Amino acid sequence: MRQNRKIRPQMGLLLLFIGMVTLLAACGGENYVPHIIKEETDVCVVCKMAVKDDQYATQIVTKDGQSLKFDDLGCMHTWKKENGTDTIGAEFVRDYHSKQWITYDKAYYVYDASLKTPMAYGVVSFEKENDANTFIKKQGMGKLMTAADLANHSWAVNRDMMKEMGEHGHSHSQDGHKKEPTAEIPNQQEGHPHTDEKNHETTGGHHS
């Protein structure tokens, strides 16, 4: 009887230890955090343009702790398409209003071809669904999307906007959007704006 009393506390400690190990395993045992943006040195991994410390910046933190930074969500999509997701530890975007980092899969997104983003992909991110819907209502246009929706998004580039930004320099406006939506954007093509996949010719950028 005394022996059983001694065993019970030991079993309790063992079960507690097993529970902690299981919890850590479920969490992956990793705590990926976004790195700060250094405007003086940071450039987009894909388009090589400067990454501004603004609401359009996104980043991937790899499983080995590297930070891959992008000036536009569309550039991050391009990197994932070209490199896969096996090395990704976490993905981060910024809330359009607060500019605080939020995880990619938990954010809400608004897309419209007339939304002005650094590489003219027209997608902006929000922490709260209500904020995204308010933005759509205020602007009078836009489509609400989730990370799952973006997986099937066309990622078309507004080439007219790219041409305009190319003429006036890299665009990181405070408004981040045009007040009036573009009714029709001809010559939109899927893929990254710097490369035409059909003829492999370099197209216009957004940096003078």
Side-chain angles (χ1 to χ4, degrees), residues 17-74:
F17 174 76
I18 293 174
M20 292 178 64
V21 171
T22 302
L23 180 61
L24 287 173
C27 295
E30 298 289 349
N31 183 25
Y32 300 106
V33 295
H35 296 206
I36 63 172
I37 299 295
K38 300 178 181 178
E39 292 189 344
E40 299 80 8
T41 56
D42 284 338
V43 295
C44 177
V45 175
V46 171
C47 71
K48 309 305 179 184
M49 297 298 177
V51 178
K52 295 293 184 180
D53 191 19
D54 59 17
Q55 61 265 62
Y56 308 109
T58 69
Q59 69 173 288
I60 288 171
V61 178
T62 62
K63 291 178 180 178
D64 61 1
Q66 296 183 62
S67 174
L68 308 177
K69 298 170 184 175
F70 309 89
D71 64 340
D72 191 302
L73 182 59

Side-chain angles (χ1 to χ4, degrees), residues 3-151:
Q3 188 176 8
N4 289 338
R5 290 179 178 177
K6 291 181 179 180
I7 293 175
R8 286 178 182 175
Q10 293 176 354
M11 286 296 294
L13 290 173
L14 178 61
L15 291 173
L16 179 61
F17 174 76
I18 293 174
M20 292 178 64
V21 171
T22 302
L23 180 61
L24 287 173
C27 295
E30 298 289 349
N31 183 25
Y32 300 106
V33 295
H35 296 206
I36 63 172
I37 299 295
K38 300 178 181 178
E39 292 189 344
E40 299 80 8
T41 56
D42 284 338
V43 295
C44 177
V45 175
V46 171
C47 71
K48 309 305 179 184
M49 297 298 177
V51 178
K52 295 293 184 180
D53 191 19
D54 59 17
Q55 61 265 62
Y56 308 109
T58 69
Q59 69 173 288
I60 288 171
V61 178
T62 62
K63 291 178 180 178
D64 61 1
Q66 296 183 62
S67 174
L68 308 177
K69 298 170 184 175
F70 309 89
D71 64 340
D72 191 302
L73 182 59
C75 288
M76 188 167 81
H77 166 78
T78 298
W79 187 93
K80 289 193 294 182
K81 184 177 180 180
E82 295 174 351
N83 297 277
T85 60
D86 291 343
T87 62
I88 296 177
E91 302 170 66
F92 298 96
V93 296
R94 275 182 157 171
D95 178 76
Y96 185 81
H97 296 304
S98 70
K99 302 180 185 177
Q100 294 297 311
W101 290 111
I102 49 179
T103 54
Y104 172 83
D105 60 344
K106 293 182 179 179
Y108 295 91
Y109 302 89
V110 174
Y111 165 72
D112 193 90
S114 66
L115 291 176
K116 185 178 291 185
T117 66
M119 292 302 292
Y121 283 99
V123 181
V124 294
S125 49
F126 298 84
E127 181 178 11
K128 299 177 181 179
E129 183 178 6
N130 184 58
D131 289 344
N133 283 320
T134 299
F135 178 85
I136 292 172
K137 184 177 181 180
K138 182 177 180 180
Q139 301 306 316
M141 48 76 174
K143 177 183 178 182
L144 179 68
M145 305 181 76
T146 63
D149 296 327
L150 291 180

